[in-house]
Amino acid sequence: MNYRHAYHAGNFADVVKHVVLTRLLEYLKQKDKAFRVVDTHAGIGRYDLSSLEAQKTGEWQGGIGRLIDASLDARTAALLAPYLETVRSLNPEGGVKKYPGSPRLARNLLRKQDRLSAIELHPKDAAKLKAEFAGDFQTRVMELDGWLALGAHLPPKEKRGLVLIDPPFEEAGEFDRLADGLIRAHKRWPGGIYALWYPIKDRRAIIAFRKALKQSGIPKLLDIEFEIRPASSEPSLDGSGMVVVNPPFTLEAELRGVLPALHKLLAVEKPAHWSLEWLAGEAA
């Protein structure tokens, strides 16, 4: 599996991740006070779905390609509107040729008082990210190891906000790094919202990851799992998950409304399921 995100932009995992991201941002916007988004593994900001990389896999067709013109009930459509309107803003002629990465999506939803710190380690990707936000005083782009940013850039001066941790999972031990990074960051800024993305491939690693989080002492942890197929005999991306720390009180109900509709559109093989589980706090 090639982990450069250009191959996977707009796939089912991006859709779910970005829907959760937009719901978190919309909650933060309910108060006038400024907030900051810290995106630790930001990528290039926007993706060309007509590129050789995207066309090689065609994954976007099973993700945003299925959703963009889907018929949705009124409540689901309203909850998805901030996400889908951002995608459509990059495609004024209709269809989906461009897709927003998480920093572009977040930036489009910020108000004038809010700020974005977009962090990317890969030199070429960091250069594209800087070009994407050139001249934008609300966005700071840094060529830096996102794991280091969890120490150096927290807490933000705004004291409100969201940290998106979306590593590429291209190295061994990434689940351990994710858990350790979160625990370290939470000690520095216990009041922040954190959203951690992970792939559903290695089921044993996920069980160990969830156990580590349960034992971390972090008081509020909501785990979101979204499968599109049952466990494969060969390692493949069967689904994706997100753990949200300090989730807004509105999030669980919103996702229970949205995820069934997304699952109906995006699942490809039964049995496949989606779930919301409190690892700590609330109903845990």
Side-chain angles (χ1 to χ4, degrees), residues 7-215:
Y7 289 87
H8 314 294
N11 69 359
F12 78 91
D14 259 5
V15 169
V16 176
K17 173 177 63 183
H18 290 155
V19 168
V20 174
L21 174 62
T22 57
R23 296 320 309 162
L24 295 173
L25 292 172
E26 290 302 294
Y27 174 80
L28 286 167
K29 288 161 62 177
Q30 291 180 16
K31 293 183 178 179
D32 290 336
K33 188 178 179 182
F35 64 84
R36 181 174 294 269
V37 177
V38 179
D39 191 338
T40 64
H41 298 76
I44 64 175
R46 76 172 71 198
Y47 297 88
D48 181 359
L49 299 184
S50 66
S51 69
L52 290 175
E53 295 90 344
Q55 290 295 316
K56 184 176 181 178
T57 64
E59 289 185 17
W60 67 271
Q61 296 177 38
I64 188 60
R66 293 187 179 186
L67 177 60
I68 192 67
D69 293 320
S71 177
L72 303 168
D73 66 82
R75 182 171 184 269
T76 300
L79 291 171
L80 293 179
Y83 165 59
L84 291 177
E85 287 170 4
T86 299
V87 176
R88 292 185 179 115
S89 72
L90 301 186
N91 298 278
E93 297 179 355
V96 188
K97 294 182 179 178
K98 305 291 183 182
Y99 186 80
S102 52
R104 180 75 269 167
L105 181 64
R107 177 64 185 91
N108 275 35
L109 297 176
L110 297 187
R111 306 160 302 177
K112 62 181 180 180
Q113 66 266 43
D114 305 322
R115 298 293 183 268
L116 168 65
S117 294
I119 299 159
E120 174 55 47
L121 179 61
H122 191 282
K124 290 184 178 179
D125 288 357
K128 290 181 179 179
L129 191 62
K130 289 177 180 179
E132 174 73 17
F133 293 109
D136 183 351
F137 74 93
Q138 288 183 243
T139 300
R140 183 184 180 192
V141 176
M142 290 160 280
E143 184 179 333
L144 181 69
D145 185 340
W147 298 115
L148 297 178
L150 291 175
H153 294 275
L154 298 180
K157 65 179 182 179
E158 293 84 1
K159 300 298 191 292
R160 291 185 74 226
L162 163 67
V163 181
L164 176 64
I165 308 173
D166 177 19
F169 282 85
E170 59 188 356
E171 297 179 10
E174 204 80 301
F175 276 105
D176 292 337
R177 196 174 295 114
L178 189 58
D180 292 344
L182 172 64
I183 292 167
R184 186 172 67 252
H186 186 265
K187 288 179 179 178
R188 291 181 62 90
W189 189 31
I193 297 173
Y194 298 82
L196 292 72
W197 182 88
Y198 63 88
I200 297 178
K201 294 177 65 179
D202 184 340
R203 309 292 173 130
R204 290 184 180 180
I206 293 171
I207 291 171
F209 172 62
R210 289 159 60 92
K211 182 178 180 181
L213 293 182
K214 287 180 179 181
Q215 296 175 345

